[in-house]
């Protein structure tokens, strides 16, 4: 039995358009309705045909949905939900794909006090943005974390979980606050650091920007991928998961100071120990199917 | 005309074995002699046949070479050079592939006071180590930085440059000290930060290591590639390019504090501005052929 029959996706960027494509592929009888506030994105969705219908407003999009998924930046979740609050069917489940859940649970339950809100976060993405960048297999083999508010209806939680399993994801359930701490370290802190170092490298005087680009194959270019991610999305994530990000950043800074000291005092053993330990984590990520085991990320080398 | 006829490679790991393979492919008439202090690596070299000869000692390896390339960790360059100092032909050119050049120029000219020393650094590599990991196309389209000591023979500099061009690299010449600052930002600092964050993530209490691994697709896994690089090699780089690394680290820490403050005070514009600027650098790296233009590093997604 299909978990939902009429799915509405609000926000048709990388993630929203990938969800639409994945539903078309995995559950072809499900009707997919899409909406995006940006008319050029709606036109692209019409052209690329990853929705059965593209609605002209958020309200019109949700009018007979049994699942509504918000795929918009974290900072405007509540505002967008308020746009369709009056048209939302009483038995519809409302979900989202945002990267920080405590704040989203708060914003959505405030905007939709009578709705069944079951937030979720597929841990998948790429550095590209927009409806052209999406693809149906984005969630395959990746994790999707469902973060129900306290007292949520277990049947609705299971329906949302089954929806994501059908798209190829593995599902885990977690309290919103714990989710936010886990993602602070596995996603938010890495992005913050990547953005920072790319910025630092671009600001030097003794080393020109053209030198940074030319010699980026020494390691720097790995950081530039995630530092090319959508700026609005990431601004909102940092502002809405502030406490957990600042806590992880504090730990990272302490560890960096420790290494700085080891370099200054020539403590080779401290460096060697850390550099050995970190190899094991890479190995586990590959073993557990969360990254491809391809040398140098499979770069072509000519 | 070939720049060299008899090339000896000391150290047959990822880089040394890639140089050997690339010479076999690009200049098949050149005789390649290899040596590695580790007998199991010498056996692998025999088996994989990327050298014409595998010598039993460093001295025997160089005895009729016209180019000797040291492909050993930065910290033992001088010591290894001293091993073959007595057997080195008077007209041989000695080079290397190390990642910090001022210290290597010092160590090699001290160990080989009468030799022609022309250090070089191919800016290429992968996270794998050892003779099995090498491949002939590693240097194609990458830069090789030649860093002659003051007063070096221009003919020898040109021969070393031509050697690297034959292997597919683009060659640039630079003072050793400037090289060290450029690489501190494009390679050494990124590795230090990647090692640190992978270590930080492994040490948390509230978030388990298994959670870090499971949800690494949110960005963290990009860092684990370079944090899986050879520990000995990287320990030596940080100890031998200390001043430049500490200087870049200081700048990075200041920039990170600036972002930390922006997050704490909710300054979304500061975040958005940086996140927009960093996209352009990624674009330039791809445009200039220093990274592949493949979404999500070409990961397979199921």
């Amino acid at each position: 039995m299909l978990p939902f029959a009429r799915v509405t996706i609000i926000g048709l960027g990388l993630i929203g358009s990938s969800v639409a494509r994945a539903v078309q592929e995995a559950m072809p009888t499900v009707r997919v309705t899409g909406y995006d506030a940006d008319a050029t994105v709606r036109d692209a969705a019409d052209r690329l045909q990853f929705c059965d219908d593209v609605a002209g407003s958020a309200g019109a999009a949700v009018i007979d949905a049994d699942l509504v998924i918000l795929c918009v930046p974290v900072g405007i979740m509540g505002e967008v939900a308020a746009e369709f609050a009056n048209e939302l069917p009483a038995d519809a489940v409302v979900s989202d794909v945002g990267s920080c859940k405590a704040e989203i649970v708060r914003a959505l339950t405030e905007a939709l006090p009578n709705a069944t809100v079951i937030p979720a976060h597929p841990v998948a993405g790429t550095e590209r943005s927009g409806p052209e960048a999406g693809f149906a297999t984005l969630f395959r083999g990746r994790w999707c974390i469902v973060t129900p508010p306290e007292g949520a209806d277990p049947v609705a939680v299971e329906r949302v979980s089954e929806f994501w399993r059908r798209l190829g994801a593995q599902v885990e359930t977690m309290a919103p606050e714990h989710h936010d701490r886990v993602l602070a370290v596995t996603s938010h802190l890495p992005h913050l650091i990547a953005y920072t170092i790319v910025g630092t490298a671009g600001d030097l005087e003794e080393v020109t920007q053209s030198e940074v680009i030319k010699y980026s194959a020494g390691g720097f270019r790995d950081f530039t991928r995630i530092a090319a991610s959508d700026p609005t999305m990431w601004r909102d994530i940092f502002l809405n998961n502030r406490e957990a990000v600042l806590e992880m950043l504090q730990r990272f800074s302490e560890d960096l100071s420790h290494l700085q000291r080891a370099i200054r005092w020539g403590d080779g053993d401290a460096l060697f120990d850390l550099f050995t330990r970190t190899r094991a984590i890479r190995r586990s990520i590959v073993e557990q199917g969360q990254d491809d085991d391809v040398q140098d990320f499979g770069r072509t080398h000519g």
Side-chain angles (χ1 to χ4, degrees), chain A residues 204-225:
Chain A
L204 299 171
E205 304 94 35
E206 326 88 304
V207 177
T208 66
Q209 190 149 319
S210 111
E211 285 175 318
V212 168
I213 289 161
K214 263 167 102 162
Y215 306 119
S216 59
F220 180 74
R221 60 181 175 163
D222 278 18
F223 289 73
T224 60
R225 187 187 77 82

Side-chain angles (χ1 to χ4, degrees), chain A residues 24-297:
Chain A
Q24 283 190 331
E25 212 175 277
M27 296 174 274
T29 59
V30 169
R31 216 195 63 214
V32 178
T33 303
Y35 171 71
D36 196 289
D38 183 338
T40 61
V41 174
R42 292 199 300 275
D43 289 346
D46 271 330
R47 185 167 34 83
L48 297 165
Q49 304 211 315
F50 51 69
C51 296
D52 297 300
D53 289 301
V54 179
S57 72
V62 304
I63 212 142
D64 67 348
D66 55 5
L67 173 65
V68 176
I69 309 182
L70 287 154
C71 304
V72 299
V74 171
I76 57 168
M77 288 279 176
E79 185 185 317
V80 173
E83 269 181 58
F84 63 70
N86 290 332
E87 287 83 3
L88 187 72
D91 59 350
V93 173
V94 176
S95 189
D96 75 296
V97 296
S99 297
C100 28
K101 307 315 297 192
E103 178 54 26
I104 291 174
V105 167
R106 200 203 53 71
L108 291 184
T109 50
E110 188 183 291
L112 308 166
N114 302 311
T116 306
V117 173
I118 311 289
H121 177 207
V123 185
T126 81
E127 69 279 19
R128 304 264 169 97
S129 315
E132 285 85 3
F135 52 97
T137 57
L138 179 59
F139 311 108
R140 273 208 206 138
R142 299 281 84 88
W143 288 91
C144 180
I145 308 176
V146 178
T147 60
E150 262 195 80
D153 172 18
V155 175
V157 173
E158 176 48 31
R159 287 171 73 199
V160 170
S161 302
E162 179 59 18
F163 175 81
W164 282 103
R165 281 191 287 265
R166 298 275 181 131
L167 304 194
Q170 300 172 273
V171 173
E172 191 72 77
T173 305
M174 216 178 261
E177 294 70 23
H178 185 63
H179 166 280
D180 288 357
R181 267 202 289 273
V182 171
L183 269 289
V185 66
T186 57
S187 179
H188 307 170
L189 182 60
H191 276 80
L192 191 69
I193 285 168
Y195 280 124
T196 305
I197 189 176
V198 176
T200 304
D203 281 344
L204 299 171
E205 304 94 35
E206 326 88 304
V207 177
T208 66
Q209 190 149 319
S210 111
E211 285 175 318
V212 168
I213 289 161
K214 263 167 102 162
Y215 306 119
S216 59
F220 180 74
R221 60 181 175 163
D222 278 18
F223 289 73
T224 60
R225 187 187 77 82
I226 62 176
S229 302
D230 185 63
T232 305
M233 171 182 158
W234 282 97
R235 178 199 61 199
D236 284 7
I237 289 172
F238 293 119
L239 298 180
N240 287 282
N241 195 19
R242 180 160 59 181
E243 294 312 318
V245 169
L246 290 176
E247 186 198 320
M248 295 305 167
L249 190 51
Q250 186 55 38
R251 282 167 176 273
F252 170 80
S253 296
E254 284 168 22
D255 292 347
L256 194 61
S257 296
H258 176 69
L259 279 194
Q260 186 170 4
R261 194 168 185 282
I263 293 172
R264 195 177 299 282
W265 293 95
D267 182 355
D269 291 344
L271 300 175
F272 188 85
D273 287 349
L274 173 66
F275 301 172
T276 308
R277 201 151 55 82
T278 51
R279 289 189 129 177
I281 292 184
R282 172 83 188 157
R283 214 157 32 231
S284 301
I285 288 174
V286 168
E287 276 164 15
Q288 295 187 26
Q290 293 304 305
D291 207 347
D292 295 352
D293 186 22
V294 185
Q295 188 166 213
D296 203 13
F297 286 137

